[in-house]
Each structure stands twice: as structure tokens, then as C-alpha cells.
Amino acid sequence: MMTEEKPHILIIDGMALLFRSFFATSAMGHFFPNAAGVPTNGVQGFARHTMTAASVFKPTHMAVCWDMGAHTFRNDLYDGYKANRPAPPEELVPQFDMARDASALIGWKNYGEKGMEADDLIGSMIAHWDGKAEITVVSGDRDLLQLLRPGVNIALIKKGYSEYDIYTEDRFVEEYGITPLQYIDKKAFTGDTADGYPGVKGIGPKTALTLIKQYGSVDGVVAAIDELTPARRKRIEDGMDMLMLSRKLAEIHCDLEVEASLEEMPIPNYDDNVKQTLEQLGYSLVMRHANSLYVTN
């Protein structure tokens, strides 16, 4: 008897692709304003990335996950979380809503959870479909590597629209020498300068990996702290509070209630009506990209 093939869900980290697309083009002064003079460069880049990913990975279903506002539970845990990031450029601000609207117009299902990051929603979707679907996540965020497991690939976007640095669980373990979940413990020690939390001062990536490989986790290191060299012991003892807080900040929450069904995540048809609407909204680059990737229905 033939076994039924599992669905393949493509999950897009919408905000990551929007930001990457905006800065890649704005650096060259390209904003592609629409008829009302509103920039569209981030929206169009996001849509082109997403269309390309659907063409490359050939999923059976797809979803786009979004951050829903700048403030999340991590800001409540630590005032400095992402506090060092500058405010988004004024040319980007209107494109947040425009990107979600364009995504829905094209036929992609949008998901977002107030007070949580897209990472948490992506992690929860992976947990929800664990063992029941193959999953490919497209993002530019290496934090998502902690979500790797059998049946899950993380495709990190590179330069251009069709090059990806694809991680599987096996590749991660071979490259880092730890499990994907232990990546959280590594970040607890090293912190994350982009997200604005320091980890333990004086503990760099190599030392963090050494400690995790030997003791298994943050808790394992703390339990064996008397075995460490005096210098490492002092650094960790001095930074203990931030170590524990950094681990909470680094961990992607995978326990959100996911109200998603395969029926609401179909692969859309990029037909003439969609392309005409994209053209009318000033998204001509997206329309041409669709024409280059898909046969008109």
C-alpha cells in the first residue's frame, strides 16, 4: 500500500524579507513610488522573494508570518531589547500595512499574533505541524536555526532572489557540534547585539560552544560552575542574572495556539486579474516577476 505523501508548507518570514528588500534597494536610492508618491520598494521586493521561493521550493501550501507591532513580551522582560535599533525610515513605515495587503491580494494567507514576534508564530506552526508536514522556512534570520528538526528546513536568503543558504538539522549539528535547541543556550552566553541583549561579558562564541558541548546547557554549566577556570567562573557569576534573562530572550516560543488549516493555505493562481490589480497599485515589478515565473492562467 502506498503511503500518503505529506504536505509541504512554505512559511515566509514576511518582515525579514520586507526589511531586507527595502534596504537593498533604498541604499541605491531606488524607492519605486506609486502614483500617489508612496514608496513601494520593500513591498515589491518582499513579493518577488516570496514568489521566487514558491517557484523554487514548490510547496503544496504556504503562509506568511508577520510581526504585529514593535512591542512584544520580550520588551516587558528587558527594556533594552531591540532598543538600540533606529526607528524605521519614513519611506518604509507605510509599507508595513501595504505589504500585508499585497500579500492578501496575491492570495497568500497572513498570520500574526499581537505581543509576539513572527519567530514565535513560525516556531508554533512548526510545532503544530511536526511530523504531519514537511516545512521550509524562508527568512534572513539565523535565530530560526533553533527550530530545525527532522522535516524542517531553514532557507536563509542570500544576494538576489533565488539563492538560499539551506540548513537541515544534520547540517546544523555537523557545523556547530551542538543540537539546534542548544543554540538557545549558546546565545544566552554570547547575547545578540542586533537584539540589544549582552549575554555574559567576556564569553564569546568559541567559549560558549565549548561550554555547551561539555555541559549540555546553561543549567548544566551553572551546576558545574566549580569545575570552571577561575576567570570563567567569575564572568558567569558576575553575569548570572543577564545569562538567565538572555536565555529567555533568545528562546523562540513554540506554544502559541495555531489556528491554521491546510485549506486556508493554498498556493494562489497568479492569474490576469491579480496581475492587473498589481499593475494598478503600482507593483509593476511584481507583475513582471509573476509573468517570468508563472504561466498566465
Side-chain angles (χ1 to χ4, degrees):
M1 180 183 292
M2 292 182 63
T3 57
E4 187 176 347
E5 198 168 314
K6 290 180 182 177
H8 177 197
I9 304 172
L10 175 66
I11 301 178
I12 301 292
D13 184 349
M15 205 66 81
L17 270 58
L18 179 68
F19 269 83
R20 177 71 66 96
S21 300
F22 175 84
F23 287 108
T25 47
S26 64
M28 298 179 287
H30 298 158
F31 294 98
F32 311 123
N34 60 21
V38 180
T40 68
N41 57 321
V43 178
Q44 297 207 69
F46 148 74
R48 293 165 75 189
H49 267 299
T50 303
M51 283 182 173
T52 301
S55 176
V56 170
F57 296 109
K58 296 179 171 40
T60 58
H61 302 80
M62 60 188 294
V64 184
C65 293
W66 298 96
D67 296 331
M68 301 299 288
H71 190 92
T72 70
F73 77 94
R74 292 182 177 87
N75 299 100
D76 295 329
L77 286 173
Y78 180 51
D79 285 343
Y81 185 71
K82 294 188 177 180
N84 58 348
R85 294 191 180 184
E90 60 178 350
E91 297 90 351
L92 175 58
V93 173
Q95 297 190 62
F96 295 139
D97 288 339
M98 290 165 63
R100 284 189 288 269
D101 290 345
S103 177
L105 165 72
I106 292 168
W108 302 322
K109 179 65 176 177
N110 291 322
Y111 295 92
E113 183 84 19
K114 196 168 179 62
M116 308 299 288
E117 296 183 36
D119 291 3
D120 303 306
L121 193 53
I122 292 169
S124 297
M125 292 187 101
I126 287 173
H128 179 75
W129 294 106
D130 190 21
K132 295 175 281 191
E134 301 291 321
I135 294 177
T136 299
V137 180
V138 174
S139 178
D141 186 358
R142 297 184 76 87
D143 289 351
L144 294 172
L145 295 178
Q146 65 183 265
L147 300 175
L148 287 166
R149 62 186 73 183
V152 175
N153 290 346
I154 307 293
L156 300 173
I157 54 177
K158 297 170 71 174
K159 190 175 181 180
Y161 285 97
S162 58
E163 289 185 37
Y164 304 92
D165 190 13
I166 300 174
Y167 273 86
T168 62
E169 182 181 41
D170 288 345
R171 178 192 167 186
F172 179 92
V173 171
E174 184 178 345
E175 200 167 294
Y176 284 87
I178 58 175
T179 69
L181 284 177
Q182 287 175 315
Y183 190 61
I184 306 167
D185 296 272
K186 172 188 172 291
K187 288 198 66 180
F189 282 106
T190 62
D192 188 319
T193 53
D195 286 342
Y197 60 92
V200 177
K201 188 175 181 181
I203 302 289
K206 287 185 179 178
T207 301
L209 278 174
T210 298
L211 291 171
I212 299 304
K213 286 176 184 177
Q214 186 168 357
Y215 298 106
S217 65
V218 166
D219 289 341
V221 173
V222 172
I225 199 164
D226 290 340
E227 299 176 17
L228 305 182
T229 63
R232 284 182 183 172
R233 176 178 175 176
K234 179 168 180 17
R235 286 178 186 135
I236 292 170
E237 287 178 337
D238 290 348
M240 187 69 73
D241 289 346
M242 185 51 71
L243 172 64
M244 296 303 177
L245 178 57
S246 294
R247 197 192 183 288
K248 289 181 182 178
L249 295 171
E251 184 174 13
I252 293 173
H253 283 229
C254 299
D255 54 1
L256 300 181
E257 195 72 35
V258 175
E259 295 184 4
S261 66
L262 292 177
E263 289 72 28
E264 66 182 30
M265 295 189 287
I267 305 299
N269 293 317
Y270 306 98
D271 59 24
D272 286 338
N273 289 332
V274 169
K275 293 171 187 174
Q276 185 177 4
T277 305
L278 289 170
E279 184 79 46
Q280 290 169 349
L281 290 172
Y283 300 144
S284 56
L285 295 175
V286 182
M287 185 272 294
R288 289 175 205 152
H289 198 63
N291 277 335
S292 71
L293 290 173
Y294 303 98
V295 176
T296 301
N297 295 304

